[in-house]
Amino acid sequence: MNFKLLIFLLISWTSFAQNQQFPSQKVDSIVKRIQLPVFPSYQINVVKLGAKGDSITNNKAAFDKAMALCKKNNGGTIVVPKGIYKINGPIHFVSNVNLKIEKGAKIKFSDNPKDYLPMVLTSWEGTMLYNYSPLIYAYDCSNIAITGEGIIDGEGGKVWKSFKAKEGAGKNLSRGMNHNATPLKDRKFGEGYFLRPQMIQFFNCKNILVENIRIENSPFWCLHLLKSQSITVRGISYKSLNHNNDGIDPEYAKDVLIENVTFDNADDNVAIKAGRDHEGRANAATPSENIVIRNCNFKGLHGVVIGSEMSAGVQNIYVENCKTVGYLKRGIYLKTNADRGGFIKNVFVRNIKLDELEDCLYITANYHGEGNGFQSEISNISFWDITCNKATASGIVIQGFAEKKVTNISLNNIDIKWAKNAISSANAENVLLNEVFIGEKATVPSAAK
């Protein structure tokens, strides 16, 4: 190691070690610049367009007409009153529209895959391609919202659920196209490939609000924030227990506030992503960044996850004041492998209350032991004030590579009451522990008798 590099590393570590406070001012600056959508005064009630909340009638035409009328009037609010509204096909947003699903109202989508054709440009597990339309889809829109106290039901537990066992060939083909830089126009999936659509996807959008609704029974990821920015998600709840029902997936996303969300998902609650492998690295100018997660209730597989699709990089993530309300496999989980490249850096987590789980804090650069040649940088990760009642596997896990270590990890005031394994740390450097207790706290040493 040359002398200049050594001095740089020493200065970097000293600065990191000395700056051990949660960066609240940066959180405030992110939240302040996020813009809520603004809508024209025009409103249309779907019932006035012929919609029937009888759980039987196909209301696709009425919802399409409502969106078209909003477009004609430069935006507005589509009101969905009490009732169960079946829709055989997707809702496609236009700009300046608030879809307001009132208390007692439910939108129930069909589970016939043919209803979600023709295909649209989308993404599937970090690879751009053409596939079935997401059930609610917004592309290149601004000032859009889904609000109200109603329910969106994706009817994902039957036909869509059966796709999971059949998706292997399509999934592998999509990944091959990613690695080989196949032109986007040639990435056609849809029928015969069994890649399930997302429930809600905002793609290349800005000034987004999702507030107070309930999301149930998604076919795949629930809320996918793709290449979008200036996003507020607050007060929503979930009961979505099918395969891969991530709650919220920001991907290539910027300036995101997620708060007061009650999760109940069969997969990750929040999974921050940034593209996969070759394609993600080619989009290094658009990392996922400036994401605030606070005051949430976790229940499901994992609480907050970064990766594993994160090849464009993930940075400036702030998580605070969250707790578990049921089962969770892992609390905070950073995962990547040697196929990904990219980076995970500047992650700040504080005041997290966890009950019983498998692993409390888990950082790995070797997810599934996969990959070669594109090891990721993981650095500047700080935790404060984390409590956990029981970790049936490990309290804290840190895994890097000998040739590319995980660096600058700070653990402050961590209290894990019981863990089968306390700490497992390999290929990590500059790990700072302060007030870390796993098991019973030691007191003064006993005297010799």
Side-chain angles (χ1 to χ4, degrees):
M1 182 181 295
N2 67 50
F3 181 73
K4 288 184 179 179
L5 178 59
L6 177 61
I7 293 296
F8 172 78
L9 291 173
L10 287 171
I11 292 171
S12 297
W13 169 241
T14 301
S15 175
F16 172 76
Q18 290 176 347
N19 189 26
Q20 285 307 301
Q21 291 186 345
F22 187 85
S24 297
Q25 289 184 339
K26 291 184 179 179
V27 170
D28 293 342
S29 68
I30 292 168
V31 173
K32 186 175 181 179
R33 70 172 173 261
I34 293 174
Q35 297 182 40
L36 291 171
V38 178
F39 308 106
S41 60
Y42 176 77
Q43 288 196 9
I44 184 67
N45 189 311
V46 293
V47 171
K48 292 184 178 180
L49 300 176
K52 295 181 179 180
D54 59 8
S55 78
I56 299 170
T57 302
N58 175 20
N59 294 290
K60 174 79 165 108
F63 277 77
D64 286 350
K65 187 173 182 180
M67 199 65 72
L69 285 169
C70 283
K71 184 175 182 179
K72 183 178 179 180
N73 287 276
N74 297 315
T77 298
I78 298 172
V79 178
V80 183
K82 184 177 180 180
I84 300 175
Y85 298 85
K86 187 178 181 185
I87 303 180
N88 295 349
I91 294 173
H92 284 188
F93 261 82
V94 298
S95 291
N96 308 312
V97 171
N98 176 15
L99 177 62
K100 185 178 181 181
I101 308 168
E102 294 187 333
K103 187 174 183 178
K106 177 188 283 190
I107 293 175
K108 189 170 184 177
F109 287 97
S110 78
D111 64 354
N112 182 353
K114 292 182 184 294
D115 290 340
Y116 301 92
L117 297 172
M119 294 182 289
V120 299
L121 180 61
T122 181
S123 173
W124 205 87
E125 290 194 344
T127 297
M128 301 301 302
L129 46 74
Y130 288 88
N131 193 32
Y132 294 110
S133 172
L135 281 54
I136 297 178
Y137 179 70
Y139 178 75
D140 205 15
C141 294
S142 60
N143 297 312
I144 52 178
I146 305 174
T147 65
E149 298 178 61
I151 298 169
I152 303 172
D153 184 342
E155 194 64 17
K158 298 174 185 176
V159 174
W160 293 121
K161 189 174 183 178
S162 74
F163 275 28
K164 175 68 174 178
K166 308 171 191 176
E167 72 183 19
K171 176 170 67 175
N172 292 335
L173 178 61
S174 74
R175 293 178 181 177
M177 290 177 167
N178 179 318
H179 294 163
N180 297 323
T182 299
L184 188 55
K185 65 181 178 63
D186 297 326
R187 302 183 188 186
K188 303 288 179 66
F189 287 80
E191 283 191 289
Y193 291 96
F194 303 102
L195 302 184
R196 292 159 290 150
Q198 297 85 353
M199 172 89 102
I200 303 168
Q201 184 182 84
F202 299 111
F203 181 1
N204 199 31
C205 296
K206 65 181 180 180
N207 300 347
I208 300 164
L209 173 65
V210 183
E211 184 175 43
N212 294 337
I213 61 164
R214 183 171 177 84
I215 295 174
E216 297 182 350
N217 208 12
S218 175
F220 188 56
W221 295 354
C222 295
L223 177 55
H224 189 196
L225 310 173
L226 178 63
K227 297 190 176 183
S228 294
Q229 64 179 322
S230 191
I231 303 164
T232 302
V233 180
R234 64 189 181 198
I236 70 174
S237 64
Y238 288 85
K239 187 174 183 180
S240 201
L241 305 177
N242 298 314
H243 300 301
N244 308 108
N245 277 185
D246 294 3
I248 304 172
D249 293 84
E251 182 167 18
Y252 302 113
K254 179 179 181 179
D255 293 347
V256 181
L257 172 62
I258 298 167
E259 64 179 355
N260 302 315
V261 175
T262 299
F263 293 96
D264 187 1
N265 299 77
D267 213 301
D268 303 335
N269 289 180
V270 180
I272 302 170
K273 301 178 181 294
R276 186 184 190 94
D277 301 348
H278 173 88
E279 185 171 288
R281 294 189 296 273
N283 282 279
T286 55
S288 283
E289 60 185 350
N290 307 332
I291 298 173
V292 177
I293 303 163
R294 63 190 186 189
N295 305 321
C296 292
N297 295 322
F298 297 138
K299 183 179 181 182
L301 187 65
H302 305 123
V304 175
V305 178
I306 299 177
S308 72
E309 306 95 327
M310 41 58 67
S311 300
V314 175
Q315 63 185 357
N316 307 337
I317 309 300
Y318 308 88
V319 184
E320 60 177 331
N321 305 330
C322 297
K323 63 182 181 179
T324 56
V325 294
Y327 173 78
L328 209 62
K329 185 179 178 73
R330 295 190 177 96
I332 309 297
Y333 189 19
L334 280 57
K335 56 180 182 175
T336 177
N337 62 36
D339 271 341
R340 299 288 186 263
F343 57 82
I344 299 171
K345 63 184 180 182
N346 303 336
V347 178
F348 306 93
V349 182
R350 75 165 175 180
N351 193 23
I352 308 297
K353 293 179 171 58
L354 304 169
D355 188 14
E356 180 175 336
L357 31 65
E358 190 170 306
D359 306 294
C360 181
L361 308 175
Y362 205 116
I363 300 170
T364 181
N366 194 27
Y367 178 60
H368 285 174
E370 294 175 346
N372 183 48
F374 296 97
Q375 296 171 353
S376 305
E377 174 196 345
I378 303 178
S379 63
N380 295 357
I381 316 296
S382 296
F383 300 94
W384 296 266
D385 305 327
I386 312 293
T387 63
C388 173
N389 287 329
K390 186 176 183 179
T392 60
S394 296
I396 299 167
V397 178
I398 305 171
Q399 299 170 337
F401 291 103
E403 59 274 29
K404 197 173 188 72
K405 291 180 169 62
V406 175
T407 63
N408 293 1
I409 308 299
S410 175
L411 298 151
N412 305 277
N413 194 22
I414 312 297
D415 189 358
I416 300 170
K417 304 297 185 185
W418 188 94
K420 182 179 179 181
N421 301 303
I423 298 178
S424 176
S425 179
N427 296 314
E429 63 184 10
N430 298 341
V431 178
L432 176 66
L433 282 76
N434 180 44
E435 302 290 324
V436 175
F437 304 98
I438 302 177
E440 291 187 10
K441 295 181 182 179
T443 58
V444 296
S446 59
K449 293 183 179 179

